[in-house]
Amino acid sequence: MSGLLITGTSSDAGKSLVVTGLCRVLARRGLSVAPFKSQNMSNHSMVCEDGAEIGRAQYLQAQAAGVPATSAMNPVLLKPGSDRRAHVVVRGRPAGELLAGEYATGRAHLAQAAFAAHEELAAEHDLVVCEGAGSPAEINLRSGDYVNLGLAQRFSMPTVLVGDIDRGGVLASLYGTWALVSDEDRPLLAAYLINKFRGDAAVLEPGLAEISRRTGMPSLGVLPWLRDVWLDSEDALSVGAWGEGEDGVVADRRLSVAVVRLPRTSNATDVDALAAEPGVDVRVTRDVDTAREADLLVLPGSRATISDLAWLRRSGLADVVHERAARGAPVLGICGGYQILLDEIVDDGVEGSERASAATTPGLGLLPGRVVFRQDKVLARPHGTWRGHAVEGYEIHHGVVDPDGGEDFPGGHAVGPVRGSIWHGTLECDGFRRALLDDVAAATGSRWSARAGAPPFAARREGMIDILADALETHVDVDALLALTQETR
C-alpha cells in the first residue's frame, strides 16, 4: 500500500469527514494509517504538541488514526487575510504571503514541500489517506495543482470522488467532474461515493448504475445523513452546522449563545463545545437583535482583526457589544475577538491591516490594555486554572496583549461581564466551560444548570468519530476501497 486520495465534487462535499472516518476504520483493522492534506486554505487551525500549526481537520484525522499530529500531515496551510492575499504556513511555521495573482503560478516551492512531506509519511505508515481540496474539476488550477490530481499523478494514487447529494445535482456533479478532467488524469478517478443521503438509497440505484456505465467508476456506497456528526470543520460553509437533535432540556432552563460571524473568522470551532452542552443553543449570526438578546455574545477569533473591527462598527454590532457591557450582559472575546475588546490595536501590516507603517486603531475599549502585532508568531499549548478548574488551550497569534487592569481570566482578563482570552480551545475543558456558563446563567436570570452525567466534550468528539467509522463500515465497501490501493502499485 502507499496512498489513497479522497476528493470531492465541491467544497464541503464531505471529504474531511470521510477521511476522518476512514482513518478510524483502518486503524481498527490494525493498519498504521496517517492523514494528509497537501494544502489547506482555511483559518481554522490547531497547534500540535511540537508547536507546529496545521489545519484543524488534519489534527482531528490524526486523532481518528490514533497517531500524533505532525506538520507533515498538512505541510502547506494558506490562511486568507483578505480577498487578495493569504498568509502562508509551511511545515507548521509562517512562510510569508501568497497574493491572488500568484495562486496558480507561484506555488512550485510549496508543491515540493508537500511532496516531501507525503514521502515522509509514506515511509512511516502502511497507508496515507489523503484529502483533496475544493474539486479536481477546477481545471483552471490544474497546471500548478499538488493537492488533487497533481498529487495523485505524482504518487500514482487511486482517487475516490465524494459527492454531496444534499445540495442537489450530485449525478451531474460526478459526471461533470469526470468529463472535465484531462484524458491523462481521468484514469486516476477510480471510484465514487455519495454523501449526506436522506431516504431510501434504492431510489438512487438507476442513476448510480448509469454514472458507472458512462464513466467506468464503480460506486462504493451511499453514506446517510449523520445529523449528530459535526466535527471540527475547516470549511467556512460548515461553521455552525451542528446537529439538531433534542436534548430534553425545557425552554426555561436553556441558555442562548450568539457567535458573531466575522468576515474573517478564525477557529470558529472554539464554540463547538458550547453547542454540545445540553440546554445551550448556539447560533452563528450577523443579526443585531440576535446578538443583543442572547444570554452570551461571543466574538470569535479573526485573521484580520482591524478589518473585522471596522466591519463590526459599520454593521451596528459594535454598538450592541457596548450596550451589553453597560447592562451587565455577558460578552466573551476569543483571540482576535479579545483584541477587539481592548483600548488600542497597533499593527503595521502584520495581520489584516494594509498599512505600510505602524498605526494605532482604537478598539472597543471594554477591556483595559492594548495589543501590538509583531512579526514573530506565537504558537503554544498553555494551561492554567480558573476557580479551581483546569484550563488548557492553544495559542496562534501575532498580537501580544498588554493588559492594564481588570481581573485575571485564563489567557486574558475580564472587567465585569466582559471577558477575553488569547487562548483557543479553552471551552473544551468541561469544568471551566460549565463554570463559565453558570456565571452566564446567574447574570441573565436563567435556570440553566449543567446536566449531571453529561458526557465530557472529548468523549462526544470520540463518539462522533466512531459514528462516522461505523457508517463507513455499514454503507461503504471498505474492502473494495482498500483493493484500489493495490491495483495501482
Side-chain angles (χ1 to χ4, degrees):
M1 298 183 188
S2 58
L4 173 73
L5 175 64
I6 306 295
T7 190
T9 56
S10 66
S11 293
D12 198 37
K15 301 181 294 290
S16 295
L17 292 185
V18 169
V19 171
T20 302
L22 272 178
C23 284
R24 176 57 54 87
V25 167
L26 300 177
R28 286 175 176 175
R29 296 188 178 197
L31 293 174
S32 172
V33 59
F36 179 78
K37 187 165 186 174
S38 297
Q39 173 193 289
N40 260 332
M41 180 170 278
S42 175
N43 279 326
H44 306 318
S45 57
M46 182 63 181
V47 179
C48 302
E49 291 291 347
D50 64 359
E53 181 183 6
I54 67 172
R56 183 84 189 191
Q58 279 62 63
Y59 190 91
L60 181 75
Q61 289 160 359
Q63 179 180 335
V67 296
T70 72
S71 66
M73 294 171 182
N74 177 210
V76 180
L77 175 61
L78 304 181
K79 307 187 74 174
S82 72
D83 289 341
R84 299 195 58 81
R85 71 171 182 170
H87 303 269
V88 181
V89 177
V90 176
R91 292 303 296 261
R93 304 293 171 183
E97 294 184 349
L98 189 70
L99 302 180
E102 301 171 328
Y103 190 77
T105 60
R107 300 185 296 161
H109 67 296
L110 302 181
Q112 292 307 310
F115 292 156
H118 183 277
E119 290 170 350
E120 180 181 317
L121 290 175
E124 298 171 351
H125 298 276
D126 297 328
L127 182 64
V128 181
V129 182
C130 305
E131 179 185 335
S135 167
E138 294 165 351
I139 53 178
N140 53 311
L141 302 176
R142 177 61 183 89
S143 63
D145 172 52
Y146 58 91
V147 66
N148 288 312
L149 295 177
L151 175 72
Q153 283 285 7
R154 177 69 170 76
F155 295 103
S156 300
M157 283 192 292
T159 299
V160 175
L161 272 179
V162 178
D164 176 4
I165 197 170
D166 193 58
R167 294 184 178 186
V170 70
L171 299 180
S173 297
L174 289 166
Y175 183 75
T177 300
W178 177 87
L180 275 173
V181 303
S182 68
D183 292 342
E184 180 184 10
D185 286 338
R186 197 169 292 125
L188 293 167
L189 299 178
Y192 67 93
L193 64 87
I194 304 293
N195 190 30
K196 303 181 186 177
F197 183 74
R198 313 184 200 214
D200 182 358
V203 175
L204 279 177
E205 290 177 2
L208 302 186
E210 185 62 16
I211 290 294
S212 295
R213 185 189 70 79
R214 294 191 186 197
T215 66
M217 296 188 298
S219 169
L220 292 174
V222 178
L223 278 170
W225 178 273
L226 302 171
R227 70 175 188 175
D228 292 327
V229 175
W230 34 267
L231 293 157
D232 310 63
S233 175
E234 67 185 20
D235 198 306
L237 294 172
S238 294
V239 171
W242 301 294
E244 301 173 351
E246 294 292 332
D247 59 19
V249 180
V250 296
D252 65 348
R253 290 184 175 273
R254 305 191 73 83
L255 282 177
S256 60
V257 178
V259 182
V260 176
R261 187 185 289 270
L262 298 171
R264 295 292 172 187
T265 296
S266 70
N267 288 71
T269 52
D270 279 330
V271 299
D272 282 358
L274 292 177
E277 192 69 43
V280 179
D281 302 313
V282 180
R283 183 173 177 184
V284 180
T285 185
R286 291 181 173 178
D287 182 73
V288 170
D289 291 333
T290 301
R292 180 183 293 114
E293 295 165 6
D295 294 316
L296 171 64
L297 180 65
V298 178
L299 298 180
S302 169
R303 196 59 187 83
T305 308
I306 292 174
S307 174
D308 279 352
L309 171 58
W311 175 84
L312 274 176
R313 288 184 162 124
R314 291 194 305 271
S315 69
L317 284 164
D319 293 334
V320 170
V321 178
H322 279 286
E323 289 172 20
R324 292 181 63 91
R327 72 172 194 267
V331 175
L332 173 64
I334 302 173
C335 199
Y338 172 36
Q339 296 161 0
I340 284 170
L341 294 169
L342 298 169
D343 293 322
E344 294 181 339
I345 303 170
V346 182
D347 184 20
D348 62 356
V350 173
E351 180 176 302
S353 170
E354 303 291 342
R355 295 185 177 94
S357 58
T360 299
T361 299
L364 296 186
L366 295 174
L367 290 177
R370 70 200 304 251
V371 58
V372 178
F373 285 96
R374 298 176 179 171
Q375 288 293 337
D376 292 338
K377 190 174 195 177
V378 177
L379 297 168
R381 297 282 296 263
H383 56 85
T385 60
W386 187 68
R387 298 182 182 176
H389 299 287
V391 186
E392 60 182 24
Y394 57 100
E395 294 184 57
I396 305 174
H397 57 91
H398 288 277
V400 177
V401 175
D402 181 16
D404 185 20
E407 301 175 0
D408 287 340
F409 188 71
H413 65 303
V415 173
V418 181
R419 298 179 169 99
S421 175
I422 205 73
W423 297 357
H424 293 288
T426 59
L427 294 172
E428 295 182 18
C429 301
D430 301 311
F432 168 72
R433 178 181 68 254
R434 290 164 182 165
L436 181 63
L437 291 174
D438 280 337
D439 268 14
V440 172
T444 59
S446 169
R447 297 173 63 206
W448 179 90
S449 62
R451 176 185 289 172
F457 181 70
R460 286 289 303 271
R461 177 182 277 133
E462 274 292 311
M464 285 187 274
I465 295 173
D466 284 331
I467 289 171
L468 268 176
D470 293 343
L472 281 163
E473 291 276 25
T474 301
H475 300 283
V476 173
D477 191 341
V478 176
D479 290 333
L481 187 148
L482 280 174
L484 295 175
T485 66
Q486 304 290 345
E487 293 171 8
T488 57
R489 290 183 62 82

